[in-house]
Amino acid sequence: MQMSKIKIIGSMFSCALIAMASAWSAHAADTVKIGVLVPMTGATAADGDRLLRAHKLAAKQINEQGGIKSLNGAKVELVVADTQSKPEVSRSEADRLISRSKVSALMGAWSSAVTIPALQVAERYKTPFVVTSAVTDSITEKNLKFVFRVSPKGSWAADNVMDFMAFLGDKGKPIKKVAIAYEDGPFGQGVAKGYKAKLSERGINVVAEESFRTGSADLSTQAVKLKASGADLVLIVCYVDDETVLLRAMAAQKFQPMILGFGGHVHPTLLQLGPLVENTFGIVEWMQDVKKPAAENFVAAYKAEYGDIPLSHSAQAYASTWAVALAVDKAGSADPVKVRDALATLNLPDGPASLLPEDALAFDEHGQNHVRYVIAQVIDNEFVTVWPEAVASKQVVIPE
């Protein structure tokens, strides 16, 4: 009896997939539905609107330029779902977008903790999921066949930070003692782990390590411990609201070491802190002054459409949307499996999807795009790229 039930459930799931394939085929000439998971409410809602704006801008451009040409000009239709910044909601919304809305691919979903449950659903349904911004290493280390990521791994930031610290040493600012402060989710833990490993390899002493929960209203205890460590540099790994709380707490303790933030540091909200963030550094996946034609075109289009400057995750959302559309065009089909196969062979050295700081957007056998980080600095209350020097728009200002 139990085996019969299992066979029936398996048969029902197979029938559901066949029905979805028929729907994709029937509607392919009219529209191609692409699911977008973004936090419009909840703890990380501040970033959801910027992500969605970039997705919408890319879709608008794709449609204005003739849509999906291999499907007789089919238009891209974004089907948007609010994750509410909650893993369980992200999971259920991913299921809904695939099983009911019949999307050909999913994109999203901002933080690692919210992204991971959704991509597990996509893998089960054999629907490609393009991760826009989540950087937890394990996302592309689990042999998932339908998961792709345009953003770099979090651990890669450690190599770039170590190189930047060596660069500062060459400029007369050696760093001997480092403290790490990070949010205690998958994102913060993953990046902090990479930092500790690389610092140990280079013989640099980690004098303090403080973790905290995302959304904490008071981080004064962590600030006291960071000050007591006497660190030359504090590496912060968290989202912008948490970093704002931490920096204010450190200022209250009159503790002003060098700061290098990851996650929320290069965000307009942080500039409201004024002198507290002047000359601080942030490591980020992309900056609006990256010297690439595709980046310049994106910034100009985004400003014209919305009146403000895009952030790194906006660029990733934009690149993801173009990548999915180009994969659909290459596949000549809205069938998710065929779109997945096309994504796996994409290599985009130019065009809108190439705006990130690497030679081309392309996915390896694990679905990972190999893309570097850049270092930004707050100079005269503006974020500018200062490293690597090859793509820098200004020279670094060495903090006193």
Side-chain angles (χ1 to χ4, degrees):
M1 180 68 71
Q2 186 67 26
M3 184 62 79
S4 297
K5 288 182 179 179
I6 292 172
K7 288 181 179 179
I8 291 171
I9 292 170
S11 177
M12 291 173 61
F13 186 72
S14 297
C15 290
L17 290 178
I18 292 170
M20 284 190 282
S22 298
W24 293 312
S25 177
H27 296 292
D30 301 318
T31 62
V32 174
K33 293 183 178 181
I34 302 173
V36 181
L37 293 164
V38 287
M40 302 304 295
T41 56
T44 57
D47 298 291
D49 184 56
R50 289 181 178 273
L51 285 163
L52 189 54
R53 284 182 175 190
H55 285 301
K56 288 181 175 179
L57 175 60
K60 177 183 178 182
Q61 292 177 338
I62 293 161
N63 291 336
E64 288 178 346
Q65 293 175 27
I68 308 298
K69 295 179 176 58
S70 68
L71 295 179
N72 301 317
K75 302 301 183 184
V76 169
E77 178 186 347
L78 299 181
V79 186
V80 181
D82 178 13
T83 68
Q84 301 177 32
S85 307
K86 298 176 180 178
E88 65 275 15
V89 175
S90 181
R91 181 187 295 108
S92 63
E93 287 297 86
D95 192 298
R96 181 180 66 82
L97 290 178
I98 297 171
S99 63
R100 298 184 187 178
S101 297
K102 308 297 190 293
V103 298
S104 297
L106 284 173
M107 301 180 293
W110 183 229
S111 71
S112 294
V114 177
T115 298
I116 291 171
L119 62 84
Q120 292 170 342
V121 172
E123 184 75 12
R124 177 165 57 87
Y125 274 109
K126 299 187 185 304
T127 299
F129 191 113
V130 178
V131 177
T132 54
S133 306
V135 299
T136 298
D137 284 20
S138 63
I139 285 173
T140 50
E141 293 178 351
K142 293 184 177 295
N143 199 33
L144 300 177
K145 302 301 182 182
F146 285 79
V147 174
F148 301 85
R149 175 163 55 184
V150 300
S151 56
K153 291 184 177 183
S155 64
W156 293 353
D159 287 318
N160 293 151
V161 166
M162 299 307 114
D163 292 342
F164 179 65
M165 288 168 58
F167 169 78
L168 291 177
D170 293 340
K171 294 289 185 179
K173 192 71 173 180
I175 297 168
K176 299 179 180 179
K177 296 186 292 183
V178 174
I180 306 173
Y182 59 95
E183 63 93 24
D184 63 2
F187 162 54
Q189 291 177 14
V191 175
K193 181 180 178 180
Y195 279 159
K196 287 184 286 185
K198 295 300 179 180
L199 288 165
S200 176
E201 287 176 9
R202 302 204 183 193
I204 299 173
N205 190 23
V206 177
V207 294
E209 181 182 340
E210 293 296 321
S211 65
F212 48 85
R213 186 177 299 277
T214 293
S216 297
D218 181 10
L219 295 174
S220 57
T221 299
Q222 287 82 355
V224 168
K225 293 179 180 179
L226 291 171
K227 180 179 180 179
S229 74
D232 305 315
L233 170 69
V234 176
L235 299 174
I236 300 175
V237 189
C238 62
Y239 303 106
V240 63
D241 291 343
D242 298 318
E243 184 164 358
T244 299
V245 173
L246 180 59
L247 290 177
R248 283 177 171 156
M250 290 169 63
Q253 295 296 322
K254 296 182 168 48
F255 180 43
Q256 296 180 311
M258 274 198 294
I259 298 292
L260 199 161
F262 182 26
H265 193 87
V266 185
H267 192 289
T269 301
L270 213 65
L271 296 178
Q272 297 174 7
L273 297 180
L276 294 185
V277 293
E278 186 68 18
N279 295 334
T280 59
F281 299 103
I283 183 165
V284 66
E285 297 94 330
W286 180 88
M287 280 285 292
Q288 72 274 7
D289 56 352
V290 166
K291 295 179 180 178
K292 295 189 74 176
E296 295 170 1
N297 292 339
F298 168 60
V299 172
Y302 192 96
K303 288 177 67 176
E305 188 76 13
Y306 302 116
D308 61 359
I309 300 296
L311 302 184
S312 62
H313 52 274
S314 301
Q316 292 165 336
Y318 180 82
S320 298
T321 310
W322 269 100
V324 172
L326 291 169
V328 173
D329 188 48
K330 184 176 182 178
S333 171
D335 184 320
V337 174
K338 293 179 180 179
V339 175
R340 178 265 167 215
D341 292 343
L343 277 166
T345 60
L346 279 186
N347 190 306
L348 305 173
D350 50 32
S354 70
L355 77 165
L356 302 176
E358 196 49 78
D359 293 337
L361 189 153
F363 303 107
D364 66 16
E365 66 273 20
H366 304 292
Q368 178 64 57
N369 180 34
H370 286 264
V371 60
R372 77 187 90 181
Y373 290 88
V374 298
I375 300 291
Q377 186 175 24
V378 180
I379 300 177
D380 296 330
N381 206 42
E382 291 184 354
F383 296 113
V384 295
T385 303
V386 294
W387 186 90
E389 290 181 292
V391 297
S393 61
K394 284 191 177 182
Q395 289 188 341
V396 65
V397 175
I398 305 298
E400 297 180 358

